[in-house]
Amino acid sequence: MILASMDTGGIISPSGEIFVNCGSQKTFHISANEGYEVADVNINDVSAGPLTTYSFENITKNQQTIQASFKLKQLTITILMQGNGNGNLSEQTQILSYGANLTVKATPDDKSKFIGWGGDASGSSDAILENITSNKTIIATFEPKDIPTVSLQLHKQGNGTIRINNQDVMLPFSQEFELDKTITVSAQSLDGWQFTFWSGSITDSEQSIEIQMNNDKTITANFVEIPPEILSLRISEIIGPGHIYVNETVCEAVPCSYSFVSGSDIQILAEPSHLFESFTGDIFSNESPFSFILNENTAIKATFENNMTCPQWDFVIDSAMIINYSDLGAFADHWLLTDDEPNWNPDFNLSLIPDPETRKQIINYRDLSIFADHWLESSPCFE
């Protein structure tokens, strides 16, 4: 004997106590009612899954069982949003049992409006689904409200930038904003420039201002150039036989003063280099040339060695030029005269001290003629 039973939601056929012959075969059919589906079939208290038929083959055992169970169908309700607006839905996509009811509310945000439902729902109020018997898809459409706008135009005079709500904008700038929206506009000056004031629809000297866009506005940020700072460089003293060049300009007579824009590149050069010892004062260096950036008023002293002795026959004309007697060679005696000779002319005397033995001196430099420049040299000596 086979006992066939079922719970609510479907039938098993045949059902009840079914008597069969030993060694025979018996088939049972399981079907669900509308809105239900087979949940499971138990054979002799062992699950066989959601079968729709089952056959006992070569029956030799008495007192066997087959039991069918059923469940409501599960349906998918897909809930979507579309459009260029934004809003909230009271329900999201979900699974419901067959025959269930569902109400979905659509709420737009303050910048949007709800247009209506589409798909398996319609209308512009709540979507109400009753006695759901199949999968459904409902779509809520939101679009932006028709919000009035006003324009903002930004310009500049001078060198600087403008930011709106901390975002850089390209100038000239023009954009529409919602009516009565509040924005922050700020001006940033570039190097060497300074922000002064806003002009146009708004006059203000604050670098950052808040603007309520209650009408069209045109605003200009005004910048002025900052005059460069002028600094002085002074060669205050030169100790010893030498000259100083500042950016290739010689200091003719100390003290020498120069004016430069702050931040200028400066090079100071000492000549002759082999006698140079150091730069002191507001800077210190024993290198020549020496380069630096002028960031403040600066005074410099240069020191040269001063322990040289002029050769016996080097006659100093001035601090820069000498005549080297030894180089005159065979011509030397032609210009060596004493002060008691007829050709003596003190106006052309080049030596202040005569030779102690001969009392002769080099005179008449003018008479050296084409040979003169050959014996003019830079002198490390001073009389």
Side-chain angles (χ1 to χ4, degrees), residues 134-255:
S134 62
N135 295 329
K136 303 286 184 183
T137 297
I138 61 175
I139 304 170
T141 301
F142 297 93
E143 294 294 346
K145 286 182 179 178
D146 298 326
I147 300 175
T149 61
V150 291
S151 69
L152 173 64
Q153 296 186 41
L154 297 175
H155 304 274
K156 70 172 182 177
Q157 290 289 337
N159 285 339
T161 62
I162 297 178
R163 310 188 86 192
I164 296 179
N165 296 336
N166 292 323
Q167 298 294 320
D168 290 327
V169 298
M170 184 175 294
L171 300 174
F173 171 86
S174 180
Q175 183 174 312
E176 296 289 318
F177 289 89
E178 294 177 14
L179 181 65
D180 292 328
K181 181 179 180 65
T182 299
I183 61 174
T184 300
V185 179
S186 57
Q188 303 290 327
S189 57
L190 299 182
D191 289 343
W193 292 76
Q194 182 178 12
F195 170 76
T196 52
F197 66 99
W198 299 97
S199 60
S201 302
I202 292 178
T203 301
D204 201 307
S205 60
E206 292 293 328
Q207 200 162 342
S208 180
I209 57 175
E210 284 194 350
I211 302 174
Q212 185 178 13
M213 295 301 299
N214 50 13
N215 53 30
D216 294 336
K217 298 183 186 295
T218 299
I219 304 172
T220 299
N222 296 275
F223 303 89
V224 295
E225 190 170 8
I226 301 173
E229 182 183 7
I230 303 300
L231 300 177
S232 69
L233 173 63
R234 188 168 181 264
I235 306 300
S236 60
E237 186 177 1
I238 298 177
I239 299 175
H243 293 83
I244 300 300
Y245 293 81
V246 177
N247 287 359
E248 300 183 356
T249 300
V250 66
C251 173
E252 297 286 356
V254 290

Side-chain angles (χ1 to χ4, degrees), residues 344-372:
W344 173 260
N345 186 340
D347 291 339
F348 298 102
N349 181 25
L350 299 182
S351 176
L352 300 180
I353 303 174
D355 177 66
E357 295 182 3
T358 65
R359 295 180 56 245
K360 290 187 176 183
Q361 298 173 308
I362 295 181
I363 64 169
N364 290 339
Y365 166 68
R366 179 179 59 183
D367 292 338
L368 293 177
S369 185
I370 62 173
F371 300 102

Side-chain angles (χ1 to χ4, degrees), residues 33 41 67 76 86 106 128 141 226 274 319 382:
N33 295 338
V41 175
Q67 183 179 21
T76 300
N86 293 296
I128 300 175
T141 301
I226 301 173
H274 66 281
S319 62
F382 294 92

